Amino acid sequence: INAEYGNKLLKQDRMGQQGAKDVKEEKIDKEEKKKRQERRSRVAKEILETERSYVKGLTILLDVYMKPLLAALENKKPIISSEQVVDIFSIAPDILHLHEKILAELELLVGKWNEKTELSSVFINHAEALKMYTDYVCNYDKALMVLSKCGKKPKFNKYLLDSKGSQYMDIQSYLIMPVQRLPRYRLLLEDLIKNTNGLHHKDYKPLLGACEKIKSVTNFINEQKRDAEDMNQVMQIQSQLGDQDIFTKTRRVLMEGKVTADKRPAQYYLFNDFLVISEQTFIGGINMIVKGFLRDIAIKEASDFIEISLGKTISVIKFSTSEEQSNWTQKFHVARSKSLEFSAPTVESPQSTKHVKSKST
């Protein structure tokens, strides 16, 4: 009987310990839930505060820096040209208009914040419109170049200093704001997701979708920027080559550099589908040594030179180093193979690659 009574007491003691443990864990869960809700609330307020600050910055950019330039143009007292104003400020007015809407929605939601508030709809509904940033981001480098060029004019410099005064930042600090905004959205949304209960909160999955949309828009803008930079590089090369029309929207520069072509100094431009090797004439003109599609070009490789055949024309090209020659040859083969996949040769070409014995060039 004593043993049975002792076992009963031991069982009750264990049950009491388990109960105390459950109560403690429940208390910890409640505390953790409360901390997560507090962190979530702080992130939401940060989203709102940074949006306010962003809209304020864009407003200063336009009211303090852009509008007086437009007013000077209307009054026939230009400080810079209308084209330069557009180049510097791009679509900043459209971006401000969009974010005034976003701010109004955030003010409404965060102003009545509670643990059930959903923010995802703000970003999902405006994700498509945010693609307008493409124009601004792609123009940003040009804006800085035009700004630098205008900065050589004393009148414009004085205007910037007078506008800035002691209460505003310099114009560059405002111009970069749109470039930084979308990556900031992504970080803030990721932080909001981290502090949103994935099992019980209705906004958890929509927030994941909103974050993906912002990532998608950011990636789209980055791709468009790279494409714009690549196209600009081709256009710059075309301007160097005078009246040679080599620009297409899909053409990209793979390599460029100096070589010896048929024992004469020359410049090469290897594109993803095209090759140009040119030399400067004594009177400052440009002479084309090789100009053609990669699909129509064959090369013969030696240890210290490459023989290039295009139709009936053959040129011997020598690079500065064996490493550069090897790199050029590899890029040529990969680009030519891809080029052949998409189009048939327009002229009958010899076998694309042969190895020949080295000879003096």
Side-chain angles (χ1 to χ4, degrees):
I1 293 173
N2 289 338
E4 185 179 341
Y5 181 68
N7 288 336
K8 187 177 180 181
L9 289 175
L10 182 62
K11 185 177 180 181
Q12 288 176 346
D13 183 54
R14 285 175 177 170
M15 288 176 66
Q17 289 179 9
Q18 182 63 45
K21 184 180 178 182
D22 290 344
V23 170
K24 185 178 181 181
E25 288 180 353
E26 185 179 349
K27 184 179 180 182
I28 292 172
D29 287 344
K30 285 182 178 178
E31 288 176 355
E32 180 57 37
K33 182 181 178 182
K34 184 180 178 182
K35 287 180 181 178
R36 175 181 277 187
Q37 288 173 355
E38 288 173 351
R39 289 194 297 267
R40 188 168 184 271
S41 177
R42 282 199 299 270
V43 175
K45 288 176 182 176
E46 186 179 358
I47 291 173
L48 175 59
E49 287 299 328
T50 57
E51 193 68 18
R52 285 174 179 163
S53 177
Y54 181 50
V55 168
K56 181 180 178 181
L58 289 179
T59 302
I60 291 170
L61 175 66
L62 301 184
D63 289 352
V64 174
Y65 288 104
M66 188 189 80
K67 288 181 180 178
L69 292 173
L70 295 175
L73 285 165
E74 289 179 6
N75 294 330
K76 309 298 182 184
K77 297 178 180 180
I79 299 170
I80 58 175
S81 70
S82 59
E83 291 80 8
Q84 288 169 327
V85 173
V86 172
D87 286 340
I88 292 171
F89 297 95
S90 184
I91 60 163
D94 297 326
I95 292 176
L96 174 59
H97 182 64
L98 170 62
H99 283 272
E100 285 173 337
K101 292 180 183 177
I102 293 174
L103 178 59
E105 292 176 28
L106 288 173
E107 293 278 11
L108 189 64
L109 290 168
V110 181
K112 300 177 180 178
W113 185 261
N114 61 60
E115 62 182 67
K116 295 182 179 179
T117 304
E118 301 174 22
L119 282 186
S120 58
S121 60
V122 177
F123 300 95
I124 291 171
N125 293 341
H126 293 289
E128 195 64 29
L130 289 170
K131 286 185 177 179
M132 73 166 64
Y133 272 81
T134 303
D135 292 339
Y136 190 92
V137 174
C138 289
N139 182 73
Y140 180 68
D141 289 342
K142 182 181 180 181
L144 294 185
M145 285 191 292
V146 173
L147 189 64
S148 176
K149 182 180 178 181
C150 293
K152 295 175 182 177
K153 301 176 181 179
K155 188 176 180 180
F156 182 70
N157 259 337
K158 183 178 184 303
Y159 166 77
L160 290 182
L161 288 171
D162 291 345
S163 299
K164 178 178 178 292
S166 59
Q167 57 180 325
Y168 300 118
M169 299 185 293
D170 57 61
I171 188 172
Q172 292 92 333
S173 299
Y174 295 107
L175 285 171
I176 199 173
M177 284 181 174
V179 178
Q180 299 170 328
R181 190 56 185 159
L182 294 191
R184 184 75 183 277
Y185 273 158
R186 178 176 171 177
L187 293 175
L188 289 168
L189 284 174
E190 287 174 348
D191 203 7
L192 192 62
I193 290 166
K194 192 190 303 180
N195 292 291
T196 300
N197 191 311
L199 293 175
H200 303 107
H201 205 291
K202 284 174 61 178
D203 206 29
Y204 183 75
K205 286 186 178 179
L207 277 173
L208 289 175
C211 194
E212 283 303 312
K213 280 187 174 291
I214 295 298
K215 287 180 186 177
S216 177
V217 171
T218 304
N219 290 338
F220 174 80
I221 291 169
N222 289 338
E223 287 170 9
Q224 294 296 306
K225 186 173 188 295
R226 281 193 293 271
D227 286 345
E229 289 170 347
D230 289 342
M231 286 190 284
N232 186 53
Q233 190 179 8
V234 176
M235 290 178 70
Q236 286 179 345
I237 291 172
Q238 178 170 291
S239 67
Q240 293 168 15
L241 296 174
D243 60 352
Q244 301 296 322
D245 186 11
I246 62 167
F247 176 80
T248 70
K249 286 186 177 181
T250 57
R251 186 157 291 159
R252 301 291 180 262
V253 182
L254 302 181
M255 280 185 75
E256 60 177 296
K258 297 185 183 300
V259 289
T260 301
D262 300 327
K263 299 184 179 181
R264 303 190 304 273
Q267 178 82 23
Y268 73 84
Y269 303 98
L270 176 62
F271 300 94
N272 58 321
D273 66 334
F274 206 74
L275 175 64
V276 171
I277 300 176
S278 64
E279 63 176 343
Q280 195 163 17
T281 64
F282 291 112
I283 59 173
I286 300 294
N287 178 47
M288 291 291 130
I289 299 170
V290 177
K291 179 188 175 187
F293 289 98
L294 300 188
R295 63 175 182 252
D296 300 330
I297 294 173
I299 66 172
K300 294 180 181 180
E301 303 171 52
S303 61
D304 61 346
F305 72 91
I306 292 176
E307 192 175 272
I308 297 178
S309 301
L310 175 61
K312 296 180 179 180
T313 303
I314 298 175
S315 299
V316 176
I317 307 300
K318 190 165 186 177
F319 291 84
S320 301
T321 65
S322 58
E323 289 81 8
E324 185 179 10
Q325 177 175 314
S326 176
N327 191 20
W328 185 93
T329 304
Q330 183 180 13
K331 288 182 183 293
F332 172 87
H333 285 314
V334 172
R336 186 176 187 275
S337 296
K338 289 181 179 178
S339 184
L340 286 170
E341 288 176 12
F342 293 105
S343 56
T346 55
V347 297
E348 188 175 342
S349 300
Q351 187 177 348
S352 85
T353 306
K354 294 180 182 177
H355 291 274
V356 296
K357 293 180 180 179
S358 178
K359 63 181 180 180
S360 173
T361 59

